[in-house]
Amino acid sequence: MSVEQAIYPRGKMAGVFPTLTNRSDEAYVEFIDDARKILIHAQQEPIGAYSRGLIEKSELSNEDNGPDTTQDAVELLMQDSVLKTYYRVKRSLQEAFWSGLKDSLDERRAEILAALDETDQAGPGTLEYDPNWADSVPEYADCEIHLQPGGNMSEALAGLYYDYGLKVFLGGAADNDQLAKFIAMGAAMPDDGKVERILDLGVGPGSSSTALKERHPDAEVWGIDLGAPMVRYAHLRAIETNADVHFRQMAAEDLDFPDNHFDAALAVLLFHELPIPVAKEVIAEVYRVLRPGGKFTLLDFPGSKTSDLYSMFFAQMDALDNVEPYLPEYRRSNVEDLLVEAGFELEGYDHKAALSKGRVAVKPATA
Amino acid sequence: MAKVEDSELAYTRDLPGAVRSNPNYFDNEVIDHLIGIVLELGAQSWVIKDRLAFLEELLAKQGSVSLDDLEQGRPSEELQAKLQTERQAMIQKIYGRLYSSYGGDTADPLSAPMS
């Protein structure tokens, strides 16, 4: 069986995603996808307004978003029937989505694993990972983030699960890799225009890495992820578009690259998945491997300084409901402050564009 | 690989969400189960509706249909668009009432406000 037949037996979904095994599986996931759009996404703003109203009527203040007050808000708001229903529906749909996806892809697990084996050594581009990857997952990363079955690190099909998850969770924004291309086009590059090497951290399915290569075809692009299943799938995906990208299983907090090696670095939605001690080490490592004048674009949620109590309540709920254990402390870290503490100069940051333009940090030319 | 000491990360084991749990949101957990069951029933009934519509389309086009056609194929783009409209209307009609009491986008206009 060819790689194409193993991963896309019924053609690609939305241009780039792996196919579900049969039409019934697809219909099931389409229902869950639409239910999420109608019952979760479309409700976010009205539910937010409703919740803020409940906070205003209570003894709490939306302006005070400290950890204790956030816990008080959880206890207050989760007494409310509407919010209980909203979070129950959200959780049940998340579980149903993963269950439908896993059951479908597992039907052809052997064929997909064989396809990954076949492409490991293929080019263009290169791939390196620990063959004993399942035994080397750091404890902090060994959790089922987003409720994804087996998590990103310990499940051999995690790359496919995660990729299809992006299709559903981003409500179509990731279709045809359009979001990855948008992000890659916006990633900051050094003012002197010299771009020979780019580092993409926590790449997941690697679509941002291949988009960076498309933008800078003459540059070396390196994509790293802690999860071996992720870089294996990213490599497979890159080969399809003939993208010459180097994928490595590597901890972002322990980069195996020389000092001053890269001209630019990018991290998309990585930092809220890291405990703060690890996040600080990642920033220190990115600072080390960037050359003076090099730029780091960090896309992730805004911090607590620009968030109200309801936003922090939402993050606290996501920690437990959606296995995002590090999201609350990430938001409280105000990661732009951590970048400055590490020696970066913050070139630009608009918290309203935290997820689209991100924080741009520059390693000073004098460093 | 680890560059951060384990002792620095010991606290993470106790964070909410570090270990997957199955939280209940209602005091009576039966309500949690019922909402999950009702959503699942909706999804399963949609699968049958989708399959029937696809079967009818194939029969109208081909006169006969194989199991492989049904499972490996995909409805025409026209039918997929029609099915999407029907699916979204079904979700709105069945589940919109869940949020009636706060007047969200899917509120059922005939629902009585929560006292």
Side-chain angles (χ1 to χ4, degrees), chain A residues 6-322:
Chain A
I7 309 293
Y8 313 103
R10 299 173 51 250
K12 293 182 180 180
M13 292 298 295
V16 290
F17 300 108
T19 327
L20 299 187
T21 301
N22 59 55
R23 176 59 197 165
S24 295
D25 298 344
E26 202 167 74
Y28 180 88
V29 169
E30 284 173 353
F31 181 91
I32 301 296
D33 191 0
D34 274 341
R36 286 179 57 92
K37 284 177 185 150
I38 294 168
L39 303 174
I40 304 300
H41 291 302
Q43 305 305 317
Q44 280 181 355
E45 277 193 30
I47 279 282
Y50 175 81
S51 303
R52 288 183 173 100
L54 291 178
I55 289 171
E56 280 165 19
K57 285 180 198 161
S58 75
E59 293 176 352
L60 302 177
S61 161
N62 255 318
E63 308 309 311
D64 175 5
N65 68 5
D68 291 344
T69 318
T70 302
Q71 191 53 41
D72 290 344
V74 171
E75 284 162 24
L76 169 79
L77 295 177
M78 292 314 290
Q79 293 300 314
D80 183 84
S81 300
V82 171
L83 292 172
K84 285 180 184 181
T85 305
Y86 174 79
Y87 280 99
R88 176 69 262 169
V89 170
K90 188 177 173 191
R91 171 77 183 214
S92 292
L93 290 175
Q94 189 84 335
E95 289 173 351
F97 164 69
W98 286 124
S99 155
L101 183 72
K102 178 175 166 42
D103 289 351
S104 186
L105 293 181
D106 277 0
E107 282 183 48
R108 48 182 218 274
R109 171 174 281 266
E111 293 92 326
I112 294 170
L113 290 175
L116 287 166
D117 287 342
E118 191 179 326
T119 51
D120 274 356
Q121 301 305 320
T126 59
L127 170 69
E128 279 182 20
Y129 64 94
D130 178 357
N132 300 314
W133 55 270
D135 302 324
S136 60
V137 179
E139 191 170 358
Y140 81 80
D142 193 13
C143 48
E144 293 188 306
I145 286 172
H146 310 150
L147 303 180
Q148 184 176 313
N152 287 349
M153 309 292 150
S154 304
E155 157 60 57
L157 301 190
L160 281 84
Y161 291 173
Y162 185 86
D163 201 19
Y164 207 98
L166 287 179
K167 171 179 169 9
V168 171
F169 301 154
L170 296 177
D175 291 3
N176 299 303
D177 280 344
Q178 57 193 357
L179 183 64
K181 288 173 184 170
F182 172 81
I183 288 169
M185 285 308 291
M189 296 294 149
D191 291 339
D192 61 15
K194 183 174 92 61
V195 183
E196 293 177 353
R197 283 182 287 270
I198 305 172
L199 176 62
D200 192 7
L201 301 130
V203 295
S207 44
S208 52
S209 312
T210 50
L212 283 166
K213 182 68 182 175
E214 199 175 316
R215 179 182 168 192
H216 292 282
D218 296 330
E220 266 181 31
V221 176
W222 293 77
I224 66 144
D225 199 289
L226 188 54
M230 291 293 178
V231 287
R232 294 187 76 197
Y233 179 66
H235 178 62
L236 180 148
R237 270 268 234 135
I239 287 172
E240 286 172 17
T241 53
N242 210 31
D244 181 7
V245 177
H246 307 287
F247 289 105
R248 295 286 181 275
Q249 181 195 12
M250 194 184 292
E253 65 269 31
D254 191 12
L255 296 174
D256 188 17
F257 295 110
D259 295 355
N260 306 316
H261 190 64
F262 289 98
D263 301 290
L266 173 68
V268 182
L269 293 174
L270 166 67
F271 274 76
H272 76 274
E273 310 293 11
L274 303 173
I276 291 305
V278 174
K280 287 180 176 175
E281 200 58 45
V282 173
I283 291 171
E285 279 289 83
V286 173
Y287 187 87
R288 179 182 68 77
V289 301
L290 273 180
R291 54 119 166 150
K295 294 192 180 181
F296 178 30
T297 305
L298 190 165
L299 268 72
D300 217 309
F301 296 103
S304 59
K305 282 182 186 172
T306 51
S307 305
D308 67 1
L309 176 58
Y310 172 70
S311 297
M312 296 309 292
F313 156 83
F314 194 88
Q316 188 74 24
M317 290 301 293
D318 223 31
L320 184 64
D321 287 339
N322 197 28

Side-chain angles (χ1 to χ4, degrees), chain B residues 32-96:
Chain B
D32 285 272
H33 295 318
L34 287 174
I35 290 177
I37 288 166
V38 166
L39 288 165
E40 180 67 18
L41 284 173
Q44 294 294 351
S45 74
W46 173 257
V47 170
I48 296 168
K49 200 173 166 66
D50 179 277
R51 191 175 177 97
L52 185 59
F54 186 29
L55 176 67
E56 288 170 348
E57 181 180 58
L58 286 172
L59 284 173
K61 276 186 189 166
Q62 305 171 184
S64 65
V65 64
S66 69
L67 192 58
D68 201 47
D69 289 338
L70 265 180
E71 294 194 340
Q72 297 307 308
R74 192 172 282 138
S76 66
E77 286 188 12
E78 294 77 18
L79 181 56
Q80 285 189 59
K82 184 169 172 280
L83 286 170
Q84 183 177 32
T85 304
E86 282 183 28
R87 188 168 61 236
Q88 292 179 345
M90 174 183 165
I91 291 165
Q92 191 108 355
K93 182 175 180 183
I94 297 178
Y95 303 111

Side-chain angles (χ1 to χ4, degrees), chain A residues 327-339:
Chain A
L327 178 60
E329 67 172 10
Y330 156 78
R331 293 194 64 171
R332 292 194 187 288
S333 78
N334 296 288
V335 71
E336 58 278 8
D337 291 349
L338 301 184
L339 290 166

